[in-house]
Amino acid sequence: MNKPVLDIKDVPSPLQWLTLSLQHLFAMFGATILVPYLVGLSPAMALISSGLGTLAFLIITKWQVPAYLGSSFAFISPIIAAKAAGGPGAAMIGSFLAGLVYGVVALIIKKAGYRWIMNLLPPVVVGPVIIVIGLGLANVAVGMAMNGPDGKYNLTYFSVALVTLAATIVCSIFSRGLFSLVPVLAGIIVGYVYALIIGVVDLSKVAKAKLFEMPDFLLPGIDYPIHITGQIVLLMVPVAIVTLSEHIGHQLVLSKVVGRDYIKNPGLHRSILGDGTATMISALIGGPPKTTYGENIGVLAITRVYSVYVLAGAAVLAIVFGFIGKITALIGSIPTPVMGGVSILLFGIIASSGLRMLVDSKVDFGDKRNLVISSVILVIGIGGAILKISETFQIQGMALAAIVGVILNLILPGRPEVNENMFELEKTNDDHVA
């Protein structure tokens, strides 16, 4: 590990603090506002909830884990389905329950260790489910890219999407350093400017917006009744299967970057509890579920600035941005094809990351057991299969695929054992490679 420029508890100078915190804000900005844009929630609330969630995470992990929490892509389809079933309130209730699952898992890990969760969520289950998340959203991305306001094919709109996509790809491939970590933000900016030039952008709301405005909070018991149904539970809660695995992966990578074993100290149970608490806080005020962001881990790796105060500064800036009406209105003026162009790459990357997990974990598809599990997950998830017990109790799509995958992994013979020292072994092997 390279010597840190600022270590975990180092406090930067005021100007340095602001600059470094803005870097983290920009790294998460594009992806964090894309999720509420896709599911019909407030981008301002996504920013505010990400800031509050990150601060909660830092407190729960005893100010030892430098991570930023932004909007989770895994919940896009479930939120859309939950909103269709019971409105925005239903999606928030489902998100809260998913966060509650994190708390239960954290408690079990604290008492029983982490081996059981790795047996429950091996790569052969999680990899295909992540692929389903990405490919299941492919139609959404292409529709946003190609279609005009009337829902019909629009070449002008498609050109905006293609310019945005091209800019995102160029920034991702050819940029170096910190710029390589913000291809989504760069693509959105370039696409927005192009859309502005050809007259697709409506700036009237930006002109009317106040500098400081109260965002659209969505509060339980005030803006919607608290009503838990089996359908909402089954739509949202199973997604935690995927996001828990994603969280563990991020903690392993972060441990390598920073040079500390976060699985042991402050403990996987604390980081999972922090992630779940952030999701519950978000659900209580009207924001999308939260997850640790790989983009911000990338910023840590490049800058070697590990200070938790820098991450806390980014969280405070995100909260402030959420109350600035001009910024919220500007985000709202981003044309649909701009987001569509970015989404084509982003959703493809999500699917590819699932494939990468299978490759990195050396899952053997010559083994019929692995082939059966992954095949069933892919077809059920992408095909949109629905298990309908009644009109109000049904499991569908990715949630059903994840549940079936876990069950198949548990009941089919030949399940490999997880090594007790898998985290230590992985770290040792990486040290040898280095």
Side-chain angles (χ1 to χ4, degrees):
M1 182 191 70
N2 293 323
K3 184 179 179 181
V5 174
L6 288 174
D7 212 346
I8 301 296
K9 295 296 179 71
D10 291 343
V11 181
S13 64
L15 182 58
Q16 190 182 30
W17 197 342
L18 177 63
T19 305
L20 294 171
S21 293
L22 280 171
Q23 282 183 167
H24 278 285
L25 182 71
F26 290 141
M28 69 85 187
F29 197 89
T32 290
I33 65 169
L34 178 58
V35 174
Y37 191 98
L38 293 171
V39 300
L41 295 176
S42 166
M45 291 315 307
L47 290 173
I48 294 169
S49 60
S50 76
L52 292 174
T54 298
L55 291 175
F57 178 89
L58 293 173
I59 292 169
I60 290 171
T61 55
K62 301 187 196 178
W63 298 92
Q64 293 182 33
V65 183
Y68 194 94
L69 280 72
S71 305
S72 172
F73 280 81
F75 284 90
I76 292 175
S77 291
I79 288 176
I80 292 172
K83 284 184 68 180
M92 293 302 101
I93 291 170
S95 297
F96 185 88
L97 294 174
L100 205 57
V101 170
Y102 276 71
V104 174
V105 170
L107 182 62
I108 297 173
I109 289 176
K110 180 173 173 58
K111 298 294 183 183
Y114 52 72
R115 178 185 172 119
W116 67 274
I117 196 169
M118 302 311 298
N119 273 313
L120 193 68
L121 304 173
V124 71
V125 172
V126 178
V129 173
I130 292 174
I131 293 172
V132 166
I133 293 171
L135 296 185
L137 292 166
N139 285 338
V140 175
V142 172
M144 290 172 65
M146 290 196 314
N147 300 330
D150 58 358
K152 297 180 181 179
Y153 179 83
N154 187 308
L155 182 59
T156 302
Y157 271 49
F158 198 24
S159 73
V160 173
L162 292 176
V163 168
T164 304
L165 176 60
T168 309
I169 292 172
V170 168
C171 185
S172 179
I173 298 297
F174 297 105
S175 294
R176 294 292 178 265
L178 288 170
F179 286 105
S180 66
L181 297 170
V182 290
V184 173
L185 183 62
I188 290 173
I189 291 172
V190 172
Y192 189 89
V193 171
Y194 174 74
L196 199 60
I197 292 171
I198 65 173
V200 175
V201 181
D202 179 10
L203 292 173
S204 59
K205 291 183 179 179
V206 180
K208 294 177 183 177
K210 298 177 182 177
L211 183 59
F212 292 101
E213 281 187 1
M214 184 63 68
D216 298 322
F217 284 91
L218 197 59
L219 304 175
I222 298 175
D223 297 307
Y224 60 88
I226 302 173
H227 183 54
I228 301 173
T229 65
Q231 184 178 6
I232 298 304
V233 171
L234 292 172
L235 277 172
M236 301 289 290
V237 170
V239 185
I241 293 173
V242 183
T243 51
L244 279 167
S245 178
E246 179 184 43
H247 176 91
I248 293 170
H250 282 168
Q251 289 305 296
L252 287 171
V253 173
L254 190 59
S255 294
K256 294 174 194 172
V257 168
V258 179
R260 288 168 170 81
D261 189 351
Y262 287 131
I263 303 301
K264 285 187 174 180
N265 187 29
L268 185 61
H269 64 287
R270 278 189 173 273
S271 63
I272 286 177
L273 178 61
D275 205 335
T277 301
T279 293
M280 288 189 283
I281 290 172
S282 185
L284 289 173
I285 62 175
K290 296 292 172 272
T291 185
T292 47
Y293 259 28
E295 295 92 329
N296 294 87
I297 295 174
V299 172
L300 293 171
I302 287 179
T303 62
R304 289 182 288 121
V305 172
Y306 308 143
S307 172
V308 290
Y309 297 104
V310 171
L311 276 301
V316 172
L317 286 173
I319 294 170
V320 172
F321 271 39
F323 284 93
I324 298 177
K326 292 289 185 184
I327 290 179
T328 303
L330 192 63
I331 294 171
S333 72
I334 299 174
T336 301
V338 170
M339 291 304 198
V342 168
S343 299
I344 289 173
L345 180 61
L346 261 181
F347 296 160
I349 288 175
I350 292 171
S352 298
S353 67
L355 184 60
R356 179 180 175 180
M357 176 180 283
L358 295 172
V359 173
D360 289 348
S361 303
K362 298 179 181 177
V363 175
D364 179 14
F365 284 103
D367 184 338
K368 290 182 180 178
R369 182 181 188 279
N370 293 335
L371 190 63
V372 166
I373 293 172
S374 60
S375 300
V376 171
I377 290 173
L378 289 171
V379 173
I380 287 179
I382 297 173
I386 301 175
L387 179 61
K388 187 178 289 188
I389 309 300
S390 68
E391 288 301 322
T392 58
F393 191 85
Q394 58 187 41
I395 318 172
Q396 63 186 38
M398 183 188 65
L400 180 59
I403 292 171
V404 170
V406 168
I407 293 172
L408 287 175
N409 176 62
L410 292 176
I411 65 174
L412 292 179
R415 176 159 53 97
E417 289 294 319
V418 174
N419 194 301
E420 288 282 8
N421 301 314
M422 61 174 293
F423 296 110
E424 289 81 358
L425 284 173
E426 184 171 343
K427 185 177 179 182
T428 302
N429 291 336
D430 287 338
D431 289 343
H432 287 320
V433 172

